[in-house]
Amino acid sequence: MLVDTVSKGGNLLLNIGPDGRGAVPARDATTLAALGTWTRLHGRSVHGAGPAEPALAETLVPGLPPGVVLTQRADRLYLHMFAWPFAHVHLRGLADRVRYAQLLHDGSELRTTRTDPDQKAWNTTPGGQPPGTLTLHLPTARPDAAGAVVELFLR
């Protein structure tokens, strides 16, 4: 909910309060603890961030797999991946705009390539992509972090 709100230019207010005895209910405490853990790892993708540039979003969104939400802060684009795709994500129009890609929670670098538009798909090798498409090579197993985030450093 937080990421979706930020991606649309809004802010999120959590409505919690003490119970009749002045204690924070266990359910609310659990929610706040989980949000705090996620924010320690991924905070820069939401704090000071907002929706992706309209021109950038228009180019990317039609080709993104389901479950990916975009946020942006200055020269950083964040792909919030709520559904983990198998092996690749193709980003149309970003081949010349991305200088580095990493998983935000641990800073591990993601390999990026450009695929020849005439390449034939075979086994796990993706088929040709439109010119200007950047392919991110993802780990096969989803990272052990709720709502994994890819950070793209733009030129």
Side-chain angles (χ1 to χ4, degrees):
M1 189 177 355
L2 172 64
V3 171
D4 191 49
T5 301
V6 170
S7 77
K8 294 174 181 164
N11 65 29
L12 181 67
L13 300 174
L14 295 176
N15 186 15
I16 68 151
D19 61 17
R21 296 177 186 257
V24 174
R27 185 183 74 198
D28 293 346
T30 301
T31 299
L32 290 174
L35 185 57
T37 299
W38 186 88
T39 302
R40 275 189 290 286
L41 296 173
H42 303 101
R44 66 182 187 238
S45 70
V46 291
H47 291 296
E53 298 170 16
L56 193 59
E58 286 176 22
T59 302
L60 286 174
V61 170
L64 288 176
V68 176
V69 176
L70 302 173
T71 60
Q72 186 173 359
R73 192 177 97 206
D75 68 340
R76 308 283 171 91
L77 181 66
Y78 299 95
L79 283 70
H80 299 263
M81 307 185 82
F82 296 106
W84 193 249
F86 179 73
H88 310 100
V89 172
H90 305 290
L91 306 172
R92 294 182 182 168
L94 286 188
D96 296 324
R97 292 203 58 194
V98 174
R99 58 185 170 87
Y100 185 74
Q102 69 179 9
L103 290 172
L104 186 55
H105 75 283
D106 67 358
S108 58
E109 182 176 5
L110 294 175
R111 188 168 64 94
T112 60
T113 58
R114 291 183 189 198
T115 305
D116 178 7
D118 297 323
Q119 178 174 301
K120 302 293 182 212
W122 185 76
N123 266 347
T124 60
T125 302
Q129 296 295 317
T133 298
L134 179 75
T135 299
L136 293 177
H137 297 268
L138 302 172
T140 303
R142 178 189 180 96
D144 189 23
V149 180
V150 173
E151 181 177 35
L152 302 174
F153 294 70
L154 303 175
R155 294 184 207 280

